Coordinates of all heavy atoms in Angstrom, one line a residue:
M4 N -5.2 44.0 -25.1 CA -5.0 43.4 -23.7 C -4.4 41.9 -23.8 O -3.5 41.6 -23.1 CB -6.4 43.3 -23.0 CG -6.7 44.7 -22.3 SD -5.3 45.4 -21.5 CE -6.0 46.1 -20.0
K5 N -5.0 41.2 -24.8 CA -4.4 39.9 -24.9 C -2.9 39.9 -25.1 O -2.1 39.1 -24.6 CB -5.1 39.1 -26.0 CG -6.2 38.3 -25.7 CD -6.8 37.5 -26.9 CE -8.1 36.8 -26.5 NZ -8.7 36.2 -27.7
D6 N -2.5 40.8 -26.1 CA -1.1 40.9 -26.4 C -0.2 41.2 -25.2 O 0.8 40.6 -25.1 CB -0.9 41.9 -27.5 CG -1.4 41.4 -28.9 OD1 -1.5 40.1 -29.0 OD2 -1.6 42.1 -29.8
S7 N -0.7 42.1 -24.3 CA 0.2 42.5 -23.3 C 0.2 41.3 -22.2 O 1.2 41.1 -21.6 CB -0.3 43.7 -22.6 OG -1.3 43.5 -21.6
G8 N -0.8 40.5 -22.2 CA -0.8 39.3 -21.3 C 0.2 38.3 -21.8 O 1.0 37.7 -21.1
K9 N 0.2 38.2 -23.1 CA 1.2 37.3 -23.7 C 2.6 37.8 -23.5 O 3.5 37.0 -23.1 CB 0.9 37.2 -25.2 CG 1.8 36.2 -25.9 CD 1.5 36.1 -27.4 CE 2.3 35.0 -28.1 NZ 2.1 35.1 -29.5
L10 N 2.9 39.1 -23.6 CA 4.2 39.6 -23.4 C 4.6 39.4 -21.9 O 5.7 39.0 -21.7 CB 4.2 41.1 -23.7 CG 5.5 41.8 -23.5 CD1 6.6 41.2 -24.4 CD2 5.4 43.3 -23.8
D11 N 3.6 39.6 -21.0 CA 4.0 39.3 -19.6 C 4.4 37.9 -19.4 O 5.3 37.6 -18.6 CB 2.8 39.6 -18.7 CG 2.5 41.1 -18.5 OD1 3.3 41.9 -18.9 OD2 1.4 41.5 -18.0
R12 N 3.7 37.0 -20.1 CA 4.0 35.5 -19.9 C 5.5 35.3 -20.5 O 6.2 34.6 -19.9 CB 3.0 34.6 -20.6 CG 1.8 34.4 -19.7 CD 1.1 33.2 -20.2 NE 0.7 33.2 -21.6 CZ -0.4 34.0 -22.0 NH1 -1.2 34.7 -21.2 NH2 -0.7 33.9 -23.3
V13 N 5.8 35.9 -21.6 CA 7.1 35.8 -22.2 C 8.1 36.3 -21.3 O 9.2 35.6 -21.1 CB 7.1 36.4 -23.6 CG1 8.5 36.4 -24.2 CG2 6.2 35.7 -24.6
V14 N 7.9 37.4 -20.8 CA 8.9 38.0 -19.9 C 9.1 37.1 -18.6 O 10.1 36.9 -18.2 CB 8.4 39.4 -19.5 CG1 9.3 40.0 -18.3 CG2 8.5 40.4 -20.7
A15 N 7.9 36.7 -18.1 CA 8.0 35.9 -16.9 C 8.8 34.5 -17.2 O 9.6 34.1 -16.4 CB 6.6 35.5 -16.4
E16 N 8.6 34.0 -18.3 CA 9.3 32.8 -18.7 C 10.8 33.1 -18.8 O 11.6 32.2 -18.4 CB 8.7 32.2 -20.0 CG 9.4 31.1 -20.6 CD 9.4 29.8 -19.8 OE1 8.5 29.7 -18.9 OE2 10.3 29.0 -20.0
A17 N 11.1 34.2 -19.5 CA 12.5 34.5 -19.7 C 13.2 34.8 -18.3 O 14.3 34.3 -18.1 CB 12.7 35.8 -20.5
R18 N 12.5 35.4 -17.4 CA 13.1 35.6 -16.0 C 13.3 34.3 -15.3 O 14.3 34.0 -14.6 CB 12.1 36.5 -15.2 CG 12.1 37.9 -15.6 CD 11.8 38.9 -14.4 NE 11.8 40.2 -14.9 CZ 10.7 40.9 -15.0 NH1 9.6 40.4 -14.5 NH2 10.7 42.2 -15.4
R19 N 12.2 33.4 -15.5 CA 12.3 32.1 -14.8 C 13.5 31.3 -15.3 O 14.3 30.7 -14.5 CB 11.1 31.2 -15.0 CG 11.0 30.1 -14.2 CD 9.8 29.2 -14.6 NE 10.0 28.8 -16.1 CZ 10.8 27.8 -16.4 NH1 11.6 27.2 -15.5 NH2 11.0 27.5 -17.7
A20 N 13.7 31.3 -16.7 CA 14.8 30.6 -17.3 C 16.2 31.2 -16.8 O 17.1 30.4 -16.5 CB 14.7 30.6 -18.8
A21 N 16.2 32.5 -16.7 CA 17.5 33.1 -16.3 C 17.8 32.8 -14.9 O 18.9 32.4 -14.5 CB 17.3 34.6 -16.5
A22 N 16.7 32.7 -14.0 CA 16.9 32.4 -12.6 C 17.5 31.0 -12.4 O 18.3 30.7 -11.7 CB 15.7 32.7 -11.9
E23 N 16.9 30.1 -13.2 CA 17.4 28.7 -13.2 C 18.7 28.5 -13.7 O 19.5 27.8 -13.1 CB 16.4 27.8 -14.0 CG 15.1 27.4 -13.4 CD 14.4 26.3 -14.1 OE1 14.9 25.8 -15.1 OE2 13.3 26.1 -13.7
R24 N 19.1 29.2 -14.7 CA 20.5 29.1 -15.3 C 21.4 29.7 -14.2 O 22.5 29.1 -14.0 CB 20.5 30.0 -16.5 CG 21.8 29.8 -17.3 CD 21.7 30.5 -18.7 NE 21.5 31.9 -18.6 CZ 20.5 32.6 -19.1 NH1 19.6 32.0 -19.7 NH2 20.4 33.9 -18.9
E25 N 21.0 30.8 -13.5 CA 22.0 31.3 -12.6 C 22.1 30.5 -11.3 O 23.1 30.4 -10.8 CB 21.5 32.8 -12.3 CG 21.7 33.7 -13.5 CD 21.4 35.1 -13.3 OE1 21.2 35.5 -12.1 OE2 21.4 35.8 -14.3
R26 N 21.0 29.8 -10.9 CA 21.1 28.9 -9.8 C 22.1 27.8 -10.2 O 22.8 27.4 -9.4 CB 19.8 28.3 -9.4 CG 19.1 29.0 -8.2 CD 18.1 28.1 -7.6 NE 17.1 27.5 -8.6 CZ 16.1 28.2 -9.0 NH1 15.8 29.4 -8.6 NH2 15.2 27.6 -9.9
G27 N 22.0 27.4 -11.4 CA 22.8 26.3 -12.0 C 24.3 26.7 -11.9 O 25.1 25.9 -11.4
Y28 N 24.7 27.9 -12.3 CA 26.1 28.2 -12.3 C 26.6 28.4 -11.0 O 27.8 28.2 -10.7 CB 26.4 29.4 -13.3 CG 26.0 30.8 -12.9 CD1 26.4 31.3 -11.7 CD2 25.2 31.5 -13.7 CE1 26.1 32.6 -11.3 CE2 24.8 32.9 -13.4 CZ 25.3 33.3 -12.2 OH 24.9 34.6 -11.8
R29 N 25.8 28.9 -10.0 CA 26.2 29.1 -8.7 C 26.6 27.7 -8.1 O 27.6 27.6 -7.4 CB 25.2 29.9 -7.8 CG 25.6 30.0 -6.4 CD 24.7 31.0 -5.7 NE 25.3 31.4 -4.3 CZ 25.1 30.7 -3.3 NH1 24.3 29.6 -3.3 NH2 25.7 31.0 -2.1
E30 N 25.7 26.8 -8.3 CA 26.0 25.5 -7.7 C 27.3 24.9 -8.3 O 28.1 24.3 -7.7 CB 24.8 24.5 -8.0 CG 23.7 24.7 -7.0 CD 22.5 23.8 -7.3 OE1 22.6 22.9 -8.1 OE2 21.4 24.1 -6.8
Q31 N 27.4 25.0 -9.6 CA 28.7 24.6 -10.2 C 29.8 25.3 -9.7 O 30.9 24.6 -9.5 CB 28.6 24.8 -11.8 CG 27.6 23.9 -12.5 CD 27.5 24.3 -14.0 OE1 28.5 24.1 -14.7 NE2 26.4 24.7 -14.4
A32 N 29.8 26.6 -9.6 CA 31.0 27.3 -9.1 C 31.3 26.9 -7.6 O 32.5 26.8 -7.3 CB 30.7 28.8 -9.1
L33 N 30.3 26.6 -6.9 CA 30.6 26.2 -5.4 C 31.1 24.8 -5.4 O 31.7 24.4 -4.4 CB 29.3 26.4 -4.7 CG 28.8 27.7 -4.4 CD1 27.5 27.8 -3.7 CD2 29.9 28.6 -3.7
T34 N 30.8 24.0 -6.5 CA 31.4 22.7 -6.5 C 32.9 22.7 -7.0 O 33.7 22.0 -6.5 CB 30.6 21.8 -7.5 OG1 29.2 21.8 -7.1 CG2 31.1 20.4 -7.6
I35 N 33.1 23.6 -8.0 CA 34.5 23.6 -8.5 C 35.5 24.3 -7.5 O 36.6 23.9 -7.4 CB 34.5 24.4 -9.9 CG1 33.7 23.6 -10.9 CG2 35.9 24.7 -10.4 CD1 33.4 24.4 -12.2
Y36 N 35.0 25.4 -6.9 CA 35.9 26.2 -6.2 C 35.7 26.0 -4.7 O 34.6 25.8 -4.3 CB 35.8 27.7 -6.6 CG 36.1 28.0 -8.0 CD1 35.3 28.5 -8.9 CD2 37.5 27.9 -8.3 CE1 35.6 28.8 -10.3 CE2 37.9 28.2 -9.7 CZ 36.9 28.6 -10.6 OH 37.3 28.8 -11.8
P37 N 36.7 26.2 -3.9 CA 36.6 26.2 -2.4 C 35.7 27.3 -2.0 O 35.5 28.3 -2.6 CB 38.0 26.3 -1.8 CG 38.7 27.0 -3.0 CD 38.1 26.6 -4.3
W38 N 35.1 27.1 -0.8 CA 34.1 28.1 -0.2 C 34.9 29.2 0.5 O 34.8 29.4 1.7 CB 33.1 27.4 0.7 CG 32.1 26.4 0.0 CD1 32.1 26.2 -1.4 CD2 31.2 25.6 0.6 NE1 31.2 25.3 -1.7 CE2 30.5 24.9 -0.5 CE3 30.7 25.4 1.8 CZ2 29.6 24.0 -0.3 CZ3 29.7 24.5 2.1 CH2 29.2 23.8 1.0
I39 N 35.6 29.9 -0.3 CA 36.5 31.0 0.3 C 36.4 32.2 -0.7 O 36.4 32.0 -1.9 CB 38.0 30.5 0.3 CG1 38.1 29.3 1.3 CG2 38.9 31.7 0.8 CD1 39.4 28.7 1.3
C40 N 36.3 33.4 0.0 CA 36.2 34.6 -0.9 C 37.5 34.8 -1.6 O 38.6 34.7 -1.0 CB 35.9 35.8 0.0 SG 35.9 37.3 -1.0
G41 N 37.5 35.0 -2.9 CA 38.7 35.2 -3.7 C 39.5 36.5 -3.4 O 40.6 36.6 -3.9
R42 N 38.9 37.3 -2.6 CA 39.5 38.6 -2.4 C 40.0 38.7 -0.9 O 41.2 39.0 -0.7 CB 38.6 39.8 -2.6 CG 38.1 40.0 -4.0 CD 39.3 40.4 -4.9 NE 38.9 40.0 -6.3 CZ 38.3 40.8 -7.2 NH1 37.9 41.9 -6.8 NH2 38.1 40.3 -8.4
C43 N 39.1 38.5 0.1 CA 39.5 38.7 1.4 C 39.8 37.3 2.2 O 40.1 37.3 3.3 CB 38.4 39.4 2.2 SG 36.8 38.6 2.4
A44 N 39.6 36.2 1.4 CA 39.9 34.9 2.0 C 39.0 34.4 3.1 O 39.4 33.5 3.9 CB 41.4 34.7 2.4
R45 N 37.9 35.2 3.2 CA 36.9 34.7 4.3 C 36.5 33.3 3.9 O 36.1 33.1 2.7 CB 35.8 35.7 4.3 CG 34.7 35.5 5.3 CD 33.7 36.6 5.3 NE 32.4 36.2 5.9 CZ 31.2 36.8 5.8 NH1 31.2 37.8 4.9 NH2 30.2 36.3 6.4
E46 N 36.3 32.5 4.9 CA 35.9 31.1 4.7 C 34.4 31.0 5.0 O 33.8 31.6 5.9 CB 36.7 30.2 5.5 CG 38.1 30.1 5.1 CD 39.0 29.1 5.9 OE1 38.3 28.1 6.4 OE2 40.2 29.2 6.1
F47 N 33.8 30.1 4.3 CA 32.3 29.9 4.4 C 32.0 28.4 4.7 O 32.7 27.5 4.4 CB 31.6 30.3 3.1 CG 31.6 31.8 2.9 CD1 32.8 32.4 2.4 CD2 30.5 32.5 3.4 CE1 32.8 33.8 2.2 CE2 30.6 33.9 3.2 CZ 31.7 34.6 2.7
T48 N 30.9 28.3 5.4 CA 30.3 26.9 5.8 C 28.9 26.9 5.3 O 28.3 27.9 4.7 CB 30.3 26.7 7.2 OG1 29.4 27.6 7.9 CG2 31.7 26.9 7.8
R49 N 28.2 25.8 5.4 CA 26.8 25.7 5.0 C 25.9 26.8 5.7 O 24.9 27.2 5.2 CB 26.2 24.3 5.3 CG 26.8 23.2 4.4 CD 25.8 22.1 4.0 NE 26.4 21.3 3.0 CZ 26.3 21.5 1.8 NH1 25.6 22.5 1.3 NH2 26.8 20.7 0.9
A50 N 26.4 27.1 6.9 CA 25.5 28.1 7.7 C 25.5 29.4 7.1 O 24.5 30.1 7.3 CB 26.1 28.1 9.1
N51 N 26.6 29.8 6.4 CA 26.6 31.2 5.9 C 26.9 31.2 4.4 O 27.2 32.3 3.9 CB 27.6 32.1 6.7 CG 29.0 31.6 6.5 OD1 29.3 30.6 5.9 ND2 29.9 32.2 7.2
L52 N 26.7 30.1 3.8 CA 27.0 30.0 2.3 C 26.3 31.0 1.5 O 26.8 31.4 0.4 CB 26.8 28.5 1.9 CG 27.4 28.2 0.5 CD1 28.9 28.4 0.5 CD2 27.0 26.8 0.1
R53 N 25.1 31.4 1.9 CA 24.3 32.3 1.1 C 25.0 33.7 0.9 O 24.7 34.4 0.1 CB 22.9 32.5 1.6 CG 22.8 33.1 2.9 CD 21.4 33.1 3.4 NE 21.3 33.9 4.6 CZ 21.2 35.2 4.7 NH1 21.1 35.9 3.5 NH2 21.1 35.9 5.8
E54 N 26.0 33.9 1.8 CA 26.7 35.2 1.7 C 27.9 35.1 0.7 O 28.6 36.0 0.5 CB 27.3 35.6 3.1 CG 26.0 36.0 4.0 CD 26.5 36.3 5.4 OE1 27.7 36.8 5.7 OE2 25.9 35.8 6.4
L55 N 28.2 33.9 0.3 CA 29.2 33.6 -0.7 C 28.5 33.7 -2.1 O 27.7 32.9 -2.4 CB 29.9 32.3 -0.5 CG 31.0 32.1 -1.5 CD1 32.2 33.2 -1.5 CD2 31.6 30.7 -1.3
T56 N 28.9 34.6 -3.0 CA 28.3 34.9 -4.3 C 29.3 34.5 -5.4 O 30.5 34.4 -5.2 CB 27.8 36.3 -4.4 OG1 28.9 37.1 -4.3 CG2 26.9 36.6 -3.3
V57 N 28.7 34.3 -6.5 CA 29.5 34.0 -7.7 C 29.7 35.2 -8.7 O 28.6 35.7 -9.1 CB 29.0 32.8 -8.5 CG1 29.8 32.5 -9.7 CG2 28.8 31.5 -7.6
H58 N 30.9 35.6 -8.8 CA 31.1 36.8 -9.7 C 31.5 36.3 -11.1 O 32.2 35.3 -11.2 CB 32.2 37.7 -9.1 CG 32.7 38.8 -9.9 ND1 31.8 39.7 -10.4 CD2 33.9 39.0 -10.5 CE1 32.6 40.5 -11.2 NE2 33.8 40.1 -11.2
H59 N 31.0 37.0 -12.1 CA 31.5 36.7 -13.4 C 32.7 37.7 -13.8 O 32.5 38.9 -13.7 CB 30.3 37.0 -14.4 CG 29.3 35.9 -14.4 ND1 28.4 35.9 -13.3 CD2 29.0 34.8 -15.1 CE1 27.6 34.8 -13.5 NE2 28.0 34.1 -14.6
R60 N 33.8 37.1 -14.0 CA 35.0 37.9 -14.2 C 34.8 38.9 -15.3 O 35.4 40.0 -15.2 CB 36.2 37.0 -14.6 CG 36.6 36.1 -13.4 CD 37.7 35.1 -13.8 NE 38.0 34.1 -12.8 CZ 38.9 34.3 -11.8 NH1 39.5 35.5 -11.8 NH2 39.1 33.4 -10.9
D61 N 34.2 38.5 -16.4 CA 33.9 39.5 -17.5 C 32.6 40.2 -17.4 O 32.2 40.9 -18.3 CB 34.0 38.7 -18.9 CG 32.8 37.8 -19.1 OD1 32.0 37.6 -18.2 OD2 32.8 37.3 -20.2
H62 N 32.0 40.0 -16.2 CA 30.6 40.7 -16.0 C 29.6 40.3 -16.9 O 28.5 41.0 -17.0 CB 30.9 42.3 -16.0 CG 31.6 42.8 -14.8 ND1 31.5 44.1 -14.4 CD2 32.6 42.2 -14.0 CE1 32.4 44.3 -13.3 NE2 33.0 43.1 -13.1
N63 N 29.7 39.3 -17.6 CA 28.6 38.8 -18.5 C 28.0 37.5 -17.9 O 28.6 36.4 -17.9 CB 29.3 38.4 -19.9 CG 28.2 37.9 -20.8 OD1 27.0 37.8 -20.5 ND2 28.6 37.5 -22.1
H64 N 26.8 37.6 -17.4 CA 26.2 36.5 -16.7 C 25.8 35.4 -17.7 O 25.4 34.3 -17.3 CB 24.9 36.9 -16.0 CG 25.3 37.7 -14.7 ND1 24.4 37.8 -13.6 CD2 26.4 38.4 -14.4 CE1 25.0 38.5 -12.6 NE2 26.2 38.9 -13.1
D65 N 25.8 35.7 -19.0 CA 25.5 34.6 -20.0 C 26.7 33.8 -20.4 O 26.6 32.9 -21.2 CB 24.8 35.3 -21.2 CG 23.5 35.8 -20.9 OD1 22.8 35.2 -20.1 OD2 23.2 36.9 -21.4
N66 N 27.9 34.2 -19.9 CA 29.1 33.5 -20.2 C 29.5 32.6 -19.1 O 30.1 33.0 -18.1 CB 30.3 34.6 -20.5 CG 31.5 33.9 -20.9 OD1 31.6 32.7 -21.3 ND2 32.7 34.6 -20.8
N67 N 29.1 31.3 -19.2 CA 29.3 30.4 -18.2 C 29.9 29.1 -18.7 O 29.3 28.0 -18.7 CB 27.9 30.0 -17.6 CG 27.3 31.2 -16.9 OD1 27.8 31.7 -15.9 ND2 26.1 31.7 -17.5
P68 N 31.2 29.2 -19.0 CA 32.0 28.0 -19.4 C 32.0 27.0 -18.4 O 32.1 27.3 -17.2 CB 33.3 28.5 -19.8 CG 33.5 29.8 -18.9 CD 32.1 30.4 -19.0
P69 N 31.7 25.7 -18.7 CA 31.6 24.6 -17.7 C 32.9 24.4 -16.9 O 32.8 23.8 -15.8 CB 31.3 23.4 -18.5 CG 31.6 23.7 -19.9 CD 31.5 25.2 -20.1
D70 N 34.1 24.9 -17.4 CA 35.2 24.7 -16.6 C 35.4 25.8 -15.4 O 36.3 25.9 -14.7 CB 36.5 24.7 -17.5 CG 36.7 26.1 -18.1 OD1 35.9 27.0 -17.9 OD2 37.8 26.2 -18.8
G71 N 34.4 26.7 -15.4 CA 34.4 27.7 -14.4 C 35.3 28.9 -14.5 O 35.5 29.7 -13.7
S72 N 35.9 29.0 -15.7 CA 37.0 30.0 -15.9 C 36.5 31.4 -15.9 O 37.3 32.3 -15.7 CB 37.7 29.7 -17.2 OG 36.8 29.8 -18.3
N73 N 35.2 31.6 -15.9 CA 34.6 33.0 -15.8 C 34.1 33.3 -14.5 O 33.5 34.3 -14.3 CB 33.6 33.2 -17.0 CG 33.1 34.7 -17.1 OD1 34.0 35.5 -17.0 ND2 31.9 34.9 -17.3
W74 N 34.2 32.3 -13.6 CA 33.6 32.5 -12.2 C 34.6 32.8 -11.2 O 35.7 32.2 -11.3 CB 32.7 31.2 -11.8 CG 31.6 30.9 -12.8 CD1 30.9 31.8 -13.5 CD2 31.2 29.6 -13.0 NE1 30.0 31.0 -14.2 CE2 30.1 29.8 -14.0 CE3 31.6 28.3 -12.6 CZ2 29.5 28.6 -14.5 CZ3 30.9 27.2 -13.2 CH2 29.9 27.4 -14.0
E75 N 34.2 33.5 -10.2 CA 35.0 33.7 -9.0 C 34.1 33.8 -7.8 O 33.1 34.5 -7.8 CB 35.8 35.0 -9.2 CG 36.8 35.3 -8.1 CD 37.6 36.5 -8.3 OE1 37.2 37.4 -9.1 OE2 38.7 36.6 -7.8
N76 N 34.4 33.1 -6.8 CA 33.6 33.1 -5.5 C 34.0 34.3 -4.7 O 35.2 34.5 -4.4 CB 33.8 31.9 -4.7 CG 33.1 30.6 -5.3 OD1 32.3 30.8 -6.2 ND2 33.4 29.5 -4.8
L77 N 33.1 35.2 -4.5 CA 33.3 36.5 -3.7 C 32.3 36.6 -2.6 O 31.1 36.3 -2.8 CB 33.3 37.6 -4.6 CG 34.3 37.8 -5.7 CD1 34.0 39.1 -6.4 CD2 35.7 37.8 -5.2
C78 N 32.8 37.0 -1.4 CA 31.8 37.3 -0.4 C 30.9 38.5 -0.8 O 31.4 39.3 -1.7 CB 32.4 37.5 1.0 SG 33.2 39.2 1.2
V79 N 29.8 38.8 -0.2 CA 28.9 39.8 -0.7 C 29.6 41.2 -0.6 O 29.4 42.0 -1.4 CB 27.6 39.8 0.2 CG1 26.7 38.6 -0.2 CG2 27.8 40.0 1.7
D80 N 30.5 41.4 0.5 CA 31.2 42.7 0.6 C 32.1 43.0 -0.6 O 32.1 44.0 -1.2 CB 31.9 42.8 1.9 CG 31.0 42.7 3.1 OD1 29.8 43.2 2.9 OD2 31.4 42.2 4.2
C81 N 32.9 41.9 -0.8 CA 33.9 42.1 -1.9 C 33.2 42.2 -3.3 O 33.7 42.8 -4.2 CB 34.9 40.9 -1.9 SG 35.9 41.0 -0.4
H82 N 32.2 41.4 -3.4 CA 31.3 41.4 -4.7 C 30.7 42.9 -4.9 O 30.8 43.3 -6.0 CB 30.2 40.4 -4.6 CG 29.8 39.9 -6.0 ND1 29.1 38.8 -6.2 CD2 30.0 40.5 -7.2 CE1 28.8 38.7 -7.5 NE2 29.4 39.7 -8.1
E83 N 30.3 43.4 -3.8 CA 29.7 44.8 -4.0 C 30.8 45.8 -4.4 O 30.6 46.7 -5.2 CB 29.1 45.3 -2.7 CG 27.7 44.8 -2.5 CD 26.9 45.8 -1.7 OE1 27.3 46.9 -1.5 OE2 25.8 45.4 -1.4
D84 N 32.0 45.6 -3.8 CA 33.1 46.4 -4.2 C 33.5 46.2 -5.7 O 33.9 47.2 -6.3 CB 34.3 46.2 -3.3 CG 34.2 46.7 -1.9 OD1 33.3 47.6 -1.8 OD2 35.0 46.3 -1.0
E85 N 33.4 45.0 -6.1 CA 33.8 44.7 -7.5 C 32.8 45.4 -8.5 O 33.2 45.8 -9.5 CB 33.7 43.2 -7.7 CG 34.1 42.7 -9.1 CD 35.5 42.9 -9.4 OE1 36.4 43.1 -8.6 OE2 35.8 43.1 -10.7
H86 N 31.6 45.6 -8.1 CA 30.7 46.3 -9.0 C 30.4 47.6 -8.5 O 30.7 48.0 -7.4 CB 29.3 45.5 -9.0 CG 29.4 44.2 -9.7 ND1 29.0 43.9 -11.0 CD2 29.8 43.0 -9.2 CE1 29.3 42.7 -11.3 NE2 29.7 42.0 -10.2
A87 N 29.7 48.4 -9.2 CA 29.3 49.7 -8.7 C 28.3 49.4 -7.6 O 27.5 48.6 -7.7 CB 28.6 50.5 -9.8
R88 N 28.4 50.3 -6.6 CA 27.6 50.0 -5.4 C 26.1 50.2 -5.9 O 25.7 51.0 -6.6 CB 27.8 51.0 -4.3 CG 29.2 50.7 -3.7 CD 29.1 51.0 -2.2 NE 30.4 50.5 -1.6 CZ 30.4 49.4 -0.9 NH1 29.3 48.8 -0.5 NH2 31.5 49.0 -0.4
G89 N 25.2 49.3 -5.3 CA 23.8 49.4 -5.6 C 23.4 48.5 -6.7 O 22.2 48.3 -7.0
M90 N 24.4 48.0 -7.5 CA 24.1 47.2 -8.6 C 23.7 45.8 -8.3 O 23.2 45.1 -9.1 CB 25.3 47.1 -9.6 CG 25.7 48.5 -10.2 SD 24.6 49.0 -11.4 CE 25.1 47.9 -12.7
L91 N 23.9 45.4 -7.0 CA 23.7 44.0 -6.7 C 22.4 43.7 -6.0 O 22.2 42.7 -5.4 CB 24.9 43.5 -5.7 CG 26.1 43.1 -6.4 CD1 27.2 42.7 -5.5 CD2 25.8 41.9 -7.4
G92 N 21.5 44.6 -5.9 CA 20.2 44.4 -5.3 C 19.5 43.2 -5.6 O 19.1 42.5 -4.8
D93 N 19.4 42.9 -6.9 CA 18.7 41.7 -7.3 C 19.4 40.5 -6.8 O 18.8 39.5 -6.3 CB 18.6 41.7 -8.9 CG 17.5 42.6 -9.4 OD1 16.8 43.2 -8.5 OD2 17.5 42.8 -10.6
Y94 N 20.7 40.5 -6.9 CA 21.5 39.4 -6.5 C 21.2 39.1 -5.0 O 20.9 37.9 -4.6 CB 22.9 39.6 -6.7 CG 23.8 38.4 -6.8 CD1 24.6 38.0 -7.9 CD2 24.0 37.6 -5.7 CE1 25.3 36.9 -7.9 CE2 24.7 36.4 -5.6 CZ 25.5 36.1 -6.8 OH 26.2 35.0 -6.8
L95 N 21.3 40.1 -4.2 CA 21.3 39.9 -2.8 C 19.9 39.5 -2.2 O 19.8 39.0 -1.1 CB 21.9 41.1 -2.0 CG 23.3 41.4 -2.4 CD1 23.8 42.7 -1.7 CD2 24.2 40.2 -2.1
T96 N 18.9 39.9 -3.0 CA 17.6 39.6 -2.6 C 17.2 38.3 -3.1 O 16.0 37.8 -2.9 CB 16.6 40.6 -3.0 OG1 16.7 40.9 -4.4 CG2 16.8 42.0 -2.3
G97 N 18.0 37.5 -3.7 CA 17.8 36.2 -4.2 C 17.2 36.1 -5.6 O 17.0 34.9 -6.0
K98 N 17.0 37.2 -6.2 CA 16.5 37.0 -7.6 C 17.6 36.6 -8.5 O 17.3 36.1 -9.6 CB 16.0 38.4 -8.1 CG 14.7 38.8 -7.4 CD 14.3 40.2 -7.9 CE 13.2 40.8 -7.0 NZ 13.2 42.3 -7.1
R99 N 18.8 36.7 -8.1 CA 19.9 36.3 -8.9 C 20.8 35.3 -8.0 O 21.9 35.1 -8.1 CB 20.8 37.4 -9.4 CG 20.1 38.2 -10.4 CD 20.9 39.1 -11.1 NE 20.2 39.7 -12.2 CZ 20.6 40.4 -13.2 NH1 21.9 40.6 -13.3 NH2 19.9 41.0 -14.1
Ligands
ZN122 ZN1 35.5 38.9 0.6
ZN123 ZN1 29.9 40.0 -10.0

């Protein structure tokens, strides 16, 4: 039982670190790039900015070069199209 508790903590810590890292790249991407969807050119403001998401061009969320070359701002609709449908549940519920 002790061991599984420790594993739970390790998993929780890894999830927390990943969530922080991902919040970080989203902020960076929104700083580097205009608040416009790269596909449909929909424009965003602070009021609806949560619907603008950051896509990883190579689909690797661990690849976050500081120059933003792996990021693309996409609205949630275009982002869903970019991935297989249903894959974005975590992202859209705020876990990512
Ligand atoms: Zn779009
Ligand atoms: Zn994506």
Side-chain angles (χ1 to χ4, degrees):
M4 278 319 223
K5 261 184 190 173
D6 283 344
S7 85
K9 185 178 177 186
L10 181 61
D11 284 350
R12 278 199 303 281
V13 170
V14 170
E16 172 64 20
R18 287 213 181 108
R19 191 193 57 76
E23 276 190 7
R24 191 169 64 238
E25 294 187 5
R26 261 202 308 279
Y28 73 58
R29 183 168 185 272
E30 278 173 18
Q31 289 177 63
L33 294 177
T34 301
I35 294 171
Y36 294 114
W38 294 357
I39 298 172
C40 174
R42 297 292 156 87
C43 68
R45 182 177 162 197
E46 293 183 29
F47 290 81
T48 65
R49 291 215 170 272
N51 61 1
L52 190 59
R53 65 186 187 82
E54 293 173 39
L55 181 62
T56 61
V57 178
H58 172 60
H59 288 75
R60 292 175 187 274
D61 69 355
H62 291 203
N63 178 3
H64 285 206
D65 293 321
N66 182 15
N67 294 296
D70 67 356
S72 56
N73 193 37
W74 301 327
E75 183 176 24
N76 288 348
L77 295 180
C78 77
V79 292
D80 293 334
C81 295
H82 203 166
E83 275 210 13
D84 283 345
E85 179 67 24
H86 293 263
R88 290 219 172 251
M90 297 283 287
L91 275 180
D93 284 353
Y94 196 118
L95 298 179
T96 53
K98 289 180 197 158
R99 295 191 172 194

